[in-house]
Amino acid sequence: MSTGLENLKVYQIAEILEIEVYKATKNFPKEEKYGSVNQLRRSSAAVSNNIAESYARHSYAEKIRYLYIAKGEAEETKRNIIRSGKKDLITELIANDLADKYTGLLKAISGYIRFITDKLTK
């Protein structure tokens, strides 16, 4: 049985992207294991984790605070993916595709923040 969090579209997108980043970094050179690979995997996981943290909070202000942290982690992941493409650690095609998906996720998180903010002002 799914929880409310698992039904939350923004969380589903973040979780899918976290797995895509994990798979995309599997073939990075060994010397990048503790650099780019670790950073990309941690920041992509932090997006999902902060959305989950937000979901579990009781006040709207706390929920929004964690969502802004999730946005920061998503932007960090996006920028590191783009740089990974420029460094030839992944193809430009994969880098651009993932970056575009993170742009969509950033927009979705912003929409969720607006939704919560509207509840706060009512």
Side-chain angles (χ1 to χ4, degrees), residues 1 5 14 24 26 37 43 46 54 60 67 70 79 82 92 96 104 108 110 113 115 119:
M1 186 169 147
L5 175 63
K26 268 189 162 182
V37 172
S43 64
S54 168
Y60 291 138
L67 289 171
R79 295 294 147 199
I82 291 167
E92 291 273 346
N96 291 335
S110 291
I113 291 170
F115 173 77
K119 283 186 164 193

Side-chain angles (χ1 to χ4, degrees), residues 1-15 51-52 55 112:
M1 186 169 147
S2 295
T3 66
L5 175 63
E6 291 161 338
N7 292 324
L8 187 63
K9 190 69 173 173
V10 71
Y11 179 78
Q12 292 171 356
I13 296 167
E15 197 173 60
I51 292 169
Y55 188 81
Y112 188 41

Side-chain angles (χ1 to χ4, degrees), residues 10-11 14-15 17-19 21 38-54 65-77 102 105 109:
V10 71
Y11 179 78
E15 197 173 60
L17 286 175
E18 178 185 344
I19 293 164
V21 166
N38 186 42
Q39 188 58 40
L40 275 165
R41 288 180 178 181
R42 288 181 61 191
S43 64
S44 67
V47 178
S48 303
N49 291 339
N50 278 292
I51 292 169
E53 185 85 24
S54 168
R65 184 171 74 87
Y66 279 96
L67 289 171
Y68 276 114
I69 294 169
K71 278 187 73 172
E73 295 291 348
E75 188 64 44
E76 177 183 336
T77 304
Y102 268 95
L105 176 59
I109 295 170

